[in-house]
Each structure stands twice: as C-alpha cells, then as structure tokens.
Amino acid sequence: MPRTIVIGNISLDHIHRPHHPPVRQLGGAALHLAAAAARAGLPAAPAAAVGDDLAGLAGDPRLPALDWSLLHHAPEPSATFTIHYDEAETVTAVTTDYGAARHLTSHTLHLIDRHPQAVFHVSCRHPLDVPAVLHALTEHGRVFSLDFHLPSAPQLIPAAAPWLHHATTIFVNAQEHALLTRHTGSPSPCPETVITDGPRPARVLLHGHLPRSAAPAAVPTVRQITGAGDTLAGTYLAHRARHLPPAAALDRAVHAATRHTTRLPLIIPAPRRAPS
C-alpha cells in the first residue's frame, strides 16, 4: 500500500466553546487526518512546516506510529489558531498566526517533485497556495484527494475549481458542498465526494449519485469537536485504499469520527513518553 503524504498545518490551537473552559491543544488538519489514517492501517506521513515548539511530536505517546520524516522545521513558531464555536458547535470565528506554516507551499512543491510513488492528500487551508499545489500535482500526474475548511472555503473552492476533477475524493461539509456545486456546476466533480453535516448523516456521492449515507451515533459527552472531520477523511481514505466499497468505508469513517469526539483533546503540554 503506497504511503499517503498529508499536506496541511500542524498547529497549537486555542479552543473556545460555550459552557466549557478554554483549551490549549495540539491540532491541525495534517495531524488529525494522518493520525486517523494510520489508526486505520494506512501508512501516513504528515507534511507540515512547524517550529521548535513542536519538535517533540514524534515522542508524543498519544499519537499513533506516523512517518515524521517529511516535516519542515522552520525558525518561526508553529502556526496558532484561536477557534470560537457557538452553541450549535459551529465555528464562528478563527484568529490565526501562521508562523512556520508560511513555508508550507515551497515545502509541498518540493515533496511533489521528490515522491512520485506517493499518494497525496491536500488540506486546502490558508496559507497554502492551493492553486500552485493542485497545478503541480496534476502536471506531475500524482494521485491526490483534498478537503476544505469552511472559514476559507469561499476563497479556496473557486481558486481550486480548475483542478478538482483530477482529484480522487473531495471532502466537504454541507455548506462547503453548496459552494462546490455552485463553482463547478456539479455536485460531485470528481469520482467521490464525501459530505458531512455535523450530527446529521454523512453522504458519499459517486459521480453525483447517492449510494449510501451513514448517521453518527449519539454520544453522552462530546469532549472535542476540532478534528472530527479530518478523522472521518483519514479513516475513509485508509479503508478505500484497502479497496472497501465507498459505503462500507463511510460507515467506518463516521464511526471513527464519532469516537474521536468522545476522546480527550491533545492538551498542551503533552505527557512525557515513559522510558523503554
């Protein structure tokens, strides 16, 4: 099974939810998605630009075995995101200091050139130059999937539109899917489009047809929200790489995302790994 290189941010997040104390935690789409893919059996390498403040990622005992060789270590601090949610668990505001993540585009273009056998997943977020990255992937004939994030989707979906039909899979939420359909003229511009909708059933469209939906199970306590969509995407990609049908992969992905919300977040600082 080829290695999947997950392009995106790894960050220090400050999470604010109503009726919960603020939390400082480890986050970023590249981390959550690669970790979920690895837990589901897919060799995964997060490719991100981080500072010295995240130099200890490989030793964090809460993370699965990942290939950390593709991190770019920059002199700036790692990206930080302050994320506010409302009562419906919807993102209402994001404040960002990109820091080391400003090196991500040049690092990604280097990796696309150097790893012809890899499969790529692109988490389309600022400050990544998404058109440049998708153009390079297409020009080099690389296999790739991608996802979006609602705060930046209104800018990045139209910017990415010329290359979306080259992707194998696109992951969006319901609001992003409306934008995707508007800017591409198709509800599924690539072979598979996975659509999440919070606590409502997730769907997978195959060339625009709806073969199956999967509803998340109710959980007694939601401990975290950030990373649930990335967990779903990473798990789905892992099971599709093992040739499970889309409907079966979606069932497992929704279950993994639901389970993710019941886990404690990756609070900073991380516990030390016990000596072997």
Side-chain angles (χ1 to χ4, degrees):
M1 188 183 301
R3 176 175 58 169
T4 293
I5 297 175
V6 183
I7 306 296
N9 295 320
I10 298 179
S11 57
L12 302 170
D13 293 348
H14 301 265
I15 306 300
H16 297 264
R17 296 168 61 198
H19 315 301
H20 292 78
V23 174
R24 186 170 180 262
Q25 66 187 60
L26 186 62
L31 180 73
H32 288 301
L33 199 148
R39 288 189 181 102
L42 182 67
V50 299
D52 289 341
D53 47 6
L54 289 180
L57 280 171
D60 193 317
R62 301 167 297 179
L63 296 172
L66 292 169
D67 177 354
W68 294 105
S69 65
L70 302 185
L71 289 186
H72 174 77
H73 293 275
E76 300 92 339
S78 299
T80 59
F81 296 92
T82 301
I83 307 173
H84 293 264
Y85 292 88
D86 62 15
E87 298 275 358
E89 309 288 18
T90 301
V91 175
T92 58
V94 179
T95 304
T96 304
D97 182 351
Y98 291 121
R102 292 187 178 90
H103 298 271
L104 182 58
T105 298
S106 58
H107 179 52
T108 298
L109 295 176
H110 174 74
L111 294 177
I112 292 170
D113 185 60
R114 293 287 299 274
H115 296 275
Q117 303 304 317
V119 174
F120 289 81
H121 179 85
V122 184
S123 291
C124 297
R125 316 279 200 276
H126 293 310
L128 187 69
D129 186 339
V130 171
V133 168
L134 298 186
H135 174 76
L137 287 166
T138 302
E139 286 293 299
H140 285 76
R142 305 293 188 251
V143 177
F144 69 94
S145 55
L146 53 88
D147 69 85
F148 294 96
H149 186 226
L150 188 57
S152 58
Q155 294 81 40
L156 295 185
I157 287 177
W163 298 276
L164 295 182
H165 64 285
H166 293 287
T168 59
T169 312
I170 298 172
F171 298 89
V172 287
N173 68 17
Q175 293 168 277
E176 294 157 3
H177 185 241
L179 292 168
L180 183 74
T181 303
R182 182 188 313 157
H183 288 287
T184 65
S186 170
S188 185
C190 71
E192 299 179 14
T193 301
V194 177
I195 308 158
T196 60
D197 195 10
R200 290 163 288 280
R203 300 172 286 153
V204 56
L205 299 178
L206 304 181
H207 292 291
H209 299 287
L210 178 62
R212 182 74 182 270
S213 63
V219 296
T221 303
V222 174
R223 291 191 169 95
Q224 62 176 327
I225 309 164
T226 306
D230 301 318
T231 298
L232 185 148
T235 306
Y236 183 89
L237 291 173
H239 289 299
R240 290 293 287 131
R242 293 161 58 189
H243 306 295
L244 263 70
L250 184 64
D251 282 340
R252 288 162 173 76
V254 168
H255 179 71
T258 303
R259 190 167 61 248
H260 172 84
T261 67
T262 68
R263 295 194 183 108
L264 292 173
L266 301 174
I267 302 296
I268 300 168
R272 294 180 180 273
R273 186 184 293 275
S276 56

